[in-house]
Amino acid sequence: MPHFKKFMRTQWGAGLLELLLSLAVLSTVSLSVINMSQKAQSKERGRSVADALQSFTQVAAQYFIANRLAIETILSGELKEAPQFCAINVTNNIPSGVPSANALKRTCAIDTSFLRARGLWPESMPLDVGRSRWAAVFRQLPATDAGRVSEELFVFLAALDQGLIKTQGDTVYTESLSEFVDQTQASLASLGAMGGFIPPGKDYGACQYNARLRQACGQGWRVNLEDFL
């Protein structure tokens, strides 16, 4: 009988050890599955953002073409009609939006709320992407030696503050770096050369975001945010 009890204790101890090991392996596998699921979700969000960016860019470009003469006049420094063509944060309380032309930087900004008010952004498309909103900035480039003047378009997700695009102060990046990397890689894979990113609140690779210089970077291009904003 004593031998039998000793045998049972030994067997029970071995069974418990096997159970603990099994739980440990199961936990590791579960965490891996969760991690893979999160990466998949981040990549899917990145592809969705890329699709939305293409749609917004197309509408913004069409708006520029339809109003090219007026916008080019504004970009040249004449702001008399600027509130009519360059505005953001259109709401019921601010039906005309907030004027967003800058004579010194030669820029004119619009967002989805402005395009919606103009009947150009479909009701089926959301105004915002989480806590951000699509915005576009038209900018007149310095004249070339031949005297030619041209424009460029910068499209980005602008941070929201109480439902409006934030126009003052810094934006604190709250997402994890791994999610930023997964989403950015998925977006760039869909967008190709036109795609880019704004660093997550700090320098990222060769793209700078610090007290001295803040950039947006893509494949073969880099711009200073202060030239647009």
Side-chain angles (χ1 to χ4, degrees), residues 128-175:
D128 305 328
V129 180
R131 296 188 295 274
S132 304
R133 176 179 298 167
W134 289 113
V137 180
F138 307 108
R139 175 174 176 255
Q140 187 180 80
L141 297 173
T144 63
D145 294 337
R148 294 181 58 187
V149 175
S150 60
E151 293 82 27
E152 62 183 352
L153 170 63
F154 178 51
V155 176
F156 62 102
L157 273 174
L160 294 176
D161 182 15
Q162 298 182 0
L164 300 176
I165 287 180
K166 190 173 182 178
T167 57
Q168 293 182 336
D170 291 329
T171 299
V172 178
Y173 188 82
T174 58
E175 305 297 331

Side-chain angles (χ1 to χ4, degrees), residues 29-46:
V29 172
S30 298
L31 288 174
S32 298
V33 171
I34 292 173
N35 186 47
M36 290 174 60
S37 176
Q38 290 175 340
K39 289 178 72 69
Q41 291 175 2
S42 295
K43 290 181 178 180
E44 182 58 33
R45 283 195 294 269

